[in-house]
Amino acid sequence: MIAIKSVAHSYGRQKNLRFKDWDINRGEQWLLLGDSGSGKSTLLNILTGILEPQQGEVLINQTNLYKLPGRKRDSFRGQNIGMIFQTPHLVKSLTVKENLLIAQSFARLREDVKRIEEVLSSLGIEDKKNSYPHELSQGQLQRVSIARAVINKPALLVADEPTSSLDDRNTAAVLELLIRQSKLTNSTLVVATHDKRVKDQFTNEYVLEQ
Ligand code: ADP
Ligand code: MG
């Protein structure tokens, strides 16, 4: 489904980041492991079409992602990839429910309030649907951004350190949701973390060496 070949990237004159080749197949669940600064976020951005690497290629179903015209790459991303970032990206002037409704309409899907309620309740934040982002705790915000990423059942679900602001119980709940969601929709799941609590739940690992 996705492969990287001979990929390397450097920011300015900083040290060169080299990434060993990686083949990710449909429906697999991967942990992307590495210490802080080892290049996890960089690699996720390269994989999802946000950052063109200086060397090497990213192949999505045999197509070179960075050979696609910019617009095609954007629409590919919108339709196929759900992303969860380290810090939540939500629209501050909209409620939780409204943030999820616009995620559906941006993807040109019909509004589906039942789906929204189902996802919020599986994350334990159903009672927050009419709250605004500033009324939520950091952990609750993170769960809303996870809800937004999974709402449209993406083919590839990518999470960058999704559990770093959560306690043990919520970490387990969020991982369970990510794994369950990816299985339900046969989505590929890639979770970047340096959180040792996460390790046991995944069968595939890609480890970055510093
Ligand atoms: P991780 O997510 O594993 O913590 P990153 O991919 O964020 O690692 O960073 C890898 C390396 O690249 C680090 O040394 C970081 O300082 C550097 N880096 C990341 N983003 C930038 C940037 N936009 N400009 C310059 N250096 C960067
Ligand atoms: Mg990072």
Side-chain angles (χ1 to χ4, degrees):
M1 179 195 179
I2 303 181
I4 61 168
K5 280 197 179 137
S6 313
V7 167
H9 191 76
S10 60
Y11 297 99
R13 277 191 223 154
Q14 299 227 344
K15 72 167 184 183
N16 202 22
L17 296 164
R18 293 194 167 277
F19 301 103
K20 65 186 178 209
D21 290 356
W22 190 6
D23 265 301
I24 303 173
N25 296 305
R26 183 91 204 207
E28 289 180 346
Q29 286 133 12
W30 283 87
L31 211 49
L32 169 55
L33 290 167
D35 294 337
S36 185
S38 61
K40 299 182 296 296
S41 297
T42 301
L43 181 52
L44 289 184
N45 288 338
I46 289 170
L47 265 183
T48 54
I50 293 169
L51 177 69
E52 180 167 9
Q54 285 157 342
Q55 290 173 45
E57 49 188 24
V58 179
L59 299 167
I60 310 253
N61 299 330
Q62 328 299 336
T63 301
N64 188 333
L65 183 59
Y66 291 97
K67 290 262 160 69
L68 289 175
R71 240 209 208 157
K72 264 202 159 168
R73 211 190 318 147
D74 287 344
S75 65
F76 173 85
R77 244 200 350 258
Q79 287 160 17
N80 295 289
I81 298 175
M83 282 204 76
I84 297 148
F85 299 92
Q86 257 161 318
T87 39
H89 292 44
L90 296 168
V91 181
K92 293 189 176 68
S93 58
L94 298 179
T95 64
V96 167
K97 182 178 162 191
E98 289 163 347
N99 266 284
L100 297 174
L101 285 169
I102 59 163
Q104 291 174 334
S105 66
F106 278 158
R108 298 173 182 273
L109 298 170
R110 72 180 171 86
E111 293 191 346
D112 185 347
V113 174
K114 221 176 139 202
R115 168 78 183 146
I116 291 174
E117 283 169 354
E118 170 190 296
V119 172
L120 289 177
S121 105
S122 61
L123 282 160
I125 47 170
E126 204 179 6
D127 57 330
K128 301 294 177 193
K129 71 180 173 196
N130 296 316
S131 300
Y132 289 89
H134 75 269
E135 298 172 321
L136 302 178
S137 71
Q138 205 50 37
Q140 288 164 344
L141 282 173
Q142 188 59 314
R143 281 180 279 164
V144 176
S145 65
I146 289 164
R148 197 182 55 178
V150 302
I151 198 83
N152 298 332
K153 305 182 179 176
L156 174 63
L157 183 56
V158 169
D160 193 351
E161 311 240 21
T163 59
S164 46
S165 63
L166 303 178
D167 59 26
D168 289 353
R169 196 166 65 89
N170 284 315
T171 291
V174 159
L175 289 171
E176 195 212 341
L177 178 92
L178 290 173
I179 291 170
R180 182 150 47 97
Q181 194 67 36
S182 72
K183 285 183 176 162
L184 271 176
T185 55
N186 198 26
S187 301
T188 304
L189 177 64
V190 177
V191 177
T193 190
H194 68 270
D195 186 346
K196 302 279 187 291
R197 298 173 299 178
V198 166
K199 266 196 140 178
D200 295 343
Q201 323 212 18
F202 289 75
T203 46
N204 301 299
E205 285 181 5
Y206 179 102
V207 183
L208 284 168
E209 316 293 348
Q210 214 163 4

